[in-house]
Amino acid sequence: MGHRTAAEGHRVLVVAPFGRDAEAVVGLLRDQRYDADACADLNAVAERLDEHVGVVLLTEEAMRLGTHALRAVLAAQPSWSDIPFILLAARQRSRGTGSEELRARLLELTGNAIVLERPLSVASLLSATDSAMRSRQRQFETRDRMLDLEVSRTALAASEAELRRIADALPVLIAFVDRSGHYRFGNRAYEDWFYVSPEEIIGRHVREVLGEDAYHIRQADIRRALAGETVRMEVPTPHRDGRRRDTEIRYLPRRNAQGEVDGFHVFGIDITDRKQTEELLAERVAERTAALQAEMENRARAEAALLQSQKMEAVGQLTGGIAHDFNNMLTGVIGAMDIMKRRIAAGRTDDLERFMDAAATSAQRAAALTARLLAFSRRQSLDTKPIEINGLIASLEQLLHRSTRENITLHVALADDALWAETDANQLENAILNLTINARDAMPEGGQLTIETRAVELDEAYVATRPDVQPGRYVVIAVSDTGVGMAPELVQKVFDPFFTTKPIGQGTGLGLSMVYGFVRQSGGQVRIHSQAGAGTTVSLYLRAVEAQPEHDSAASSRSVSEGNGQTVLLVEDDPSVRLLVREVLEELAYVPIEAEEPNAAIAVLASDRHIDLMVSDVGLPGMNGRQLAEVARQHRPELPILFVTGYAENAAIRADFLGTNMAMITKPFAIQELSAKIREMLG
């Protein structure tokens, strides 16, 4: 039967929506005994596409009317079907025309397309149509062959025996279990694993093959596999003679044509060798880990020993420096007192003042050294308050000029705006003076010394690399010189106690360590930058605070202020200090009441005795002076309290330590300092 008269694929659909083109083409094809019909547009073609259509012939104009419906129908064709299209296109005159775009759209719809450029001969049109029709007939022949292949599937069943032999030869447990839990396939490995032949396993339930205990353990995994989940597990399956065997079991769900799980495949692999290797490796890793742990512990002990050695070296350096300086000072005090005793015993009192001055000078030097040590260790008592930094430095300018030499130019560059920081004014003045003297000594041939101030903001990115710095706004005081500078290895040591680059006898080595301790205790930072031959810059970073109102304060008198018989409760546990303070109070016309420990003081406070002021040491046995003050306020709420301290860790920041109507002075103190403070507190 020819292709024009075949039962399927014999019709030609013509789509030429404009003019009489469709009528002319249909007439021509019918004259050649084709079954040809005209369609108004591609939507009509989509509706008529069936097994009788062999080819679609269309013009460019038809492509302009939409292809959505046709696209959906073509996409739904069976895999063997690909209807041919013949496009009658205008001759291309240039690239990028609309005609070229329409051709591309047709090729997106189907890969089985022939493009004929108009005008064309009748012979060309008939030849193309005949070729496309024959192509369509070959598609139906392919379909028929596919049907024949379907018939041949029965032959594949004969190969199951061969596949079984392959499955039986593999060292893998293979089976299929249906939804009811019954085996439908099992290979020869079941004889070795479960001692059941493949023929015996078919139709048996999993519970029968595995046993009740094993089935109970795997029941949840079986439910997961039947729910469509791939399951993997490792289970022991010992040999009959008791030899170890570890098995990796996998349950792989199988789905039918409707996508429903109709059972699962079982695959089992002997992994005994792998498990033994892993266990051996784990054992060796554990041994190595234990060895590394022991090594790390030994290293930690060695590092701890080294750190302890370094600490002891630092302590030795510190105590050696203290012993050297204190011995010199004590020699001056003890020697002067011995001479005065001898002179008094001999009745020679005309020259005692010279030795008294020598003893006082040595004692004052000892007090200054103690203050520096407390500053270095960040344990001095700070009287912190908001300070306007520019004004403080401006007030020091004349003193700083006198502290330098004529061959040194002092330049003070203060920020335009007022800079307020929370700090101890006296300690900051000492720190600036110390840095100025250091800068002067670093410029023996002269140079320029610059003191400048500025405000900076340290953000999170900056402090991320400096764990000892807090973010926020800081006031910076920088002291720079153009002197000899220092090598990097010296810069790392400049804050160490008793370290100095000055010649022997010209420096204590506590100046920079005191500055560092004071600034760190104030919540700030110290940064030093130095280069040999290029000078040094030391920058003090102090936490900035909001501007504070200015208050005029009259200068305190340095003369001794005497009392008028007021009663002072003196609490001091050291007999020598208590004796001296009592004598001072009596010299100043006050009436002292002595208490050598807190309980004795509490008894006085709880009594009816009149008390105008309590003077208490901070460090007392049993309770400290601040705790005693709380007890005192319970009995006498308005009682003024003056603390005296040589060192007290909890009193390091006075603002945090002191309460209402409380004040503090540090040991050692001069008579005029004590008298002025008492007079101030008594109004």
Side-chain angles (χ1 to χ4, degrees):
M1 182 181 292
H3 60 277
R4 304 185 191 190
T5 58
E8 297 174 305
H10 55 79
R11 183 171 297 137
V12 179
L13 298 182
V14 179
V15 189
F18 301 134
R20 299 177 56 84
D21 289 346
E23 181 180 349
V25 173
V26 169
L28 176 63
L29 293 174
R30 287 178 178 175
D31 289 342
Q32 298 297 319
R33 293 187 299 157
Y34 282 100
D35 179 5
D37 284 330
C39 293
D41 53 26
L42 292 180
N43 289 334
V45 171
E47 294 175 356
R48 295 190 58 183
L49 281 182
D50 56 19
E51 69 271 16
H52 299 295
V53 177
V55 63
V56 179
L57 193 152
L58 70 160
T59 63
E60 288 182 354
E61 292 80 0
M63 291 293 297
R64 301 180 187 276
L65 299 180
T67 62
H68 181 72
L70 180 60
R71 184 185 302 271
V73 173
L74 292 177
Q77 292 183 100
S79 60
W80 56 266
S81 177
D82 192 9
I83 298 175
F85 283 75
I86 299 176
L87 175 64
L88 301 181
R91 185 181 302 277
Q92 296 296 304
R93 299 183 181 278
S94 62
R95 297 184 59 85
T97 63
S99 177
E100 183 177 359
E101 180 183 349
L102 292 174
R103 297 184 189 194
R105 289 173 58 190
L106 176 60
L107 292 176
E108 290 177 2
L109 288 175
T110 176
N112 192 1
I114 301 173
V115 180
L116 299 178
E117 292 187 348
R118 296 183 290 181
L120 74 161
S121 65
V122 173
S124 297
L125 176 61
L126 294 176
S127 175
T129 304
D130 189 75
S131 176
M133 189 73 78
R134 292 182 184 279
S135 172
R136 180 60 170 165
Q137 291 300 318
R138 286 194 291 273
Q139 293 180 18
F140 285 106
E141 293 171 1
T142 301
R143 179 200 64 183
D144 295 339
R145 285 197 296 272
M146 291 176 64
L147 293 174
D148 293 337
L149 289 174
E150 184 69 20
V151 176
S152 68
R153 289 181 181 178
T154 56
L156 295 178
S159 64
E160 183 180 345
E162 182 65 22
L163 293 176
R164 174 172 288 279
R165 283 193 292 270
I166 295 173
D168 290 343
L170 293 174
V172 178
L173 193 71
I174 304 174
F176 177 76
V177 178
D178 63 17
R179 290 198 64 85
S180 66
H182 292 84
Y183 283 96
R184 298 306 175 193
F185 176 84
N187 72 338
R188 191 64 58 185
Y190 269 83
E191 289 184 340
D192 184 36
W193 256 274
F194 297 100
Y195 315 107
V196 180
S197 68
E199 295 76 17
E200 294 174 331
I201 200 174
I202 302 302
R204 297 179 66 176
H205 197 275
V206 176
R207 180 187 288 105
E208 298 179 55
V209 178
L210 298 182
E212 285 293 341
D213 293 340
Y215 177 75
H216 179 73
I217 294 173
R218 301 191 201 176
Q219 194 171 10
D221 295 321
I222 291 174
R223 283 197 295 266
R224 290 166 55 198
L226 292 175
E229 182 180 348
T230 298
V231 179
R232 177 189 174 278
M233 71 191 84
E234 293 180 4
V235 295
T237 54
H239 291 275
R240 180 172 290 176
D241 58 6
R243 287 181 295 116
R244 172 182 178 177
R245 177 170 57 195
D246 297 295
T247 306
E248 179 186 291
I249 302 292
R250 293 177 184 265
Y251 293 160
L252 304 181
R254 190 184 77 173
R255 298 181 182 273
N256 57 22
Q258 291 73 38
E260 300 171 347
V261 177
D262 60 3
F264 59 91
H265 295 283
V266 180
F267 295 92
I269 304 174
D270 188 337
I271 58 170
T272 307
D273 292 341
R274 190 187 79 188
K275 295 292 290 184
Q276 290 176 333
T277 301
E278 290 175 353
E279 291 169 0
L280 179 60
L281 179 61
E283 183 180 346
R284 291 181 178 176
V285 169
E287 293 175 355
R288 181 56 181 158
T289 301
L292 289 175
Q293 182 69 25
E295 182 179 347
M296 291 174 63
E297 291 174 356
N298 290 336
R299 182 177 300 179
R301 284 193 291 269
E303 291 176 351
L306 176 60
L307 180 60
Q308 182 66 20
S309 174
Q310 292 172 340
K311 287 181 179 179
M312 294 307 297
E313 181 180 355
V315 170
Q317 181 180 1
L318 179 64
T319 54
I322 294 173
H324 174 270
D325 285 356
F326 263 107
N327 282 336
N328 288 339
M329 299 165 190
L330 291 175
T331 298
V333 174
I334 296 172
M337 293 180 66
D338 285 344
I339 293 176
M340 287 188 291
K341 285 182 179 180
R342 293 175 63 86
R343 293 287 180 92
I344 292 173
R348 300 169 54 194
T349 60
D350 55 331
D351 198 23
L352 292 182
E353 186 173 353
R354 180 161 60 97
F355 299 103
M356 293 171 63
D357 290 341
T361 300
S362 295
Q364 289 169 358
R365 287 178 58 203
L369 177 60
T370 303
R372 290 190 173 193
L373 288 172
L374 288 174
F376 160 71
S377 63
R378 311 176 209 174
R379 295 297 187 269
Q380 62 184 332
S381 176
L382 295 182
D383 187 12
T384 59
K385 61 185 66 175
I387 302 296
E388 204 290 298
I389 302 301
N390 288 342
L392 182 143
I393 295 177
S395 67
L396 288 175
E397 192 165 350
Q398 291 299 323
L399 175 61
L400 298 178
H401 272 290
R402 291 196 299 270
S403 301
T404 59
R405 296 187 299 273
E406 293 182 356
N407 60 353
I408 294 176
T409 302
L410 175 63
H411 176 61
V412 178
L414 304 179
D416 295 335
D417 298 328
L419 303 177
W420 288 83
E422 187 89 14
T423 186
D424 185 313
N426 291 332
Q427 294 297 334
L428 181 58
E429 290 175 352
N430 289 337
I432 295 173
L433 183 60
N434 257 305
L435 295 178
T436 300
I437 294 173
N438 283 349
R440 177 201 67 190
D441 295 343
M443 297 183 288
E445 305 299 326
Q448 177 165 311
L449 190 156
T450 303
I451 300 176
E452 58 180 326
T453 63
R454 66 183 186 276
V456 298
E457 187 77 29
L458 303 184
D459 56 19
E460 296 289 349
Y462 178 86
V463 303
T465 58
R466 298 164 176 83
D468 58 340
V469 180
Q470 296 296 322
R473 186 171 176 81
Y474 287 80
V475 175
V476 180
I477 305 169
V479 180
S480 305
D481 64 66
T482 57
V484 295
M486 290 178 286
E489 59 271 16
L490 294 181
V491 173
Q492 297 177 0
K493 300 179 180 180
V494 293
F495 297 125
D496 293 348
F498 297 107
F499 175 81
T500 180
T501 59
K502 298 177 182 178
I504 297 176
Q506 296 187 19
T508 64
L510 282 174
L512 280 178
S513 62
M514 179 191 71
V515 172
Y516 179 82
F518 151 66
V519 175
R520 292 291 286 131
Q521 187 179 351
S522 300
Q525 299 290 324
V526 181
R527 294 286 180 263
I528 183 168
H529 175 76
S530 184
Q531 186 175 352
T536 300
T537 298
V538 180
S539 301
L540 311 183
Y541 287 70
L542 299 173
R543 295 302 295 261
V545 296
E546 296 296 328
Q548 303 291 320
E550 299 283 354
H551 295 287
D552 293 333
S553 57
S556 60
S557 173
R558 302 302 293 173
S559 61
V560 176
S561 300
E562 295 188 359
N564 189 24
Q566 293 94 332
T567 303
V568 177
L569 174 60
L570 171 63
V571 187
E572 171 61 64
D573 62 316
D574 187 292
S576 300
V577 175
R578 192 169 65 251
L579 170 66
L580 293 174
V581 175
R582 185 195 66 197
E583 292 296 327
V584 169
L585 291 173
E586 291 177 344
E587 286 286 329
L588 297 176
Y590 294 105
V591 178
I593 301 174
E594 295 183 59
E596 63 181 14
E597 47 86 23
N599 289 331
I602 293 173
V604 176
L605 292 168
S607 69
D608 296 333
R609 298 185 66 175
H610 178 75
I611 302 175
D612 296 293
L613 173 72
M614 182 173 78
V615 178
S616 173
D617 190 10
V618 174
L620 294 172
M623 66 173 65
N624 61 39
R626 187 64 178 84
Q627 294 169 326
L628 176 61
E630 293 296 326
V631 177
R633 286 293 166 84
Q634 295 176 12
H635 296 283
R636 303 170 187 252
E638 304 299 327
L639 179 66
I641 300 174
L642 175 62
F643 293 106
V644 181
T645 180
Y647 159 71
E649 182 175 2
N650 294 332
I653 303 297
R654 296 187 190 182
D656 298 334
F657 184 83
L658 299 178
T660 305
N661 204 12
M662 297 181 185
M664 179 183 294
I665 60 173
T666 57
K667 303 174 185 177
F669 48 80
I671 292 180
Q672 57 266 32
E673 183 181 0
L674 177 62
S675 67
K677 183 60 70 174
I678 293 177
R679 172 70 66 178
E680 174 187 337
M681 297 195 69
L682 291 177

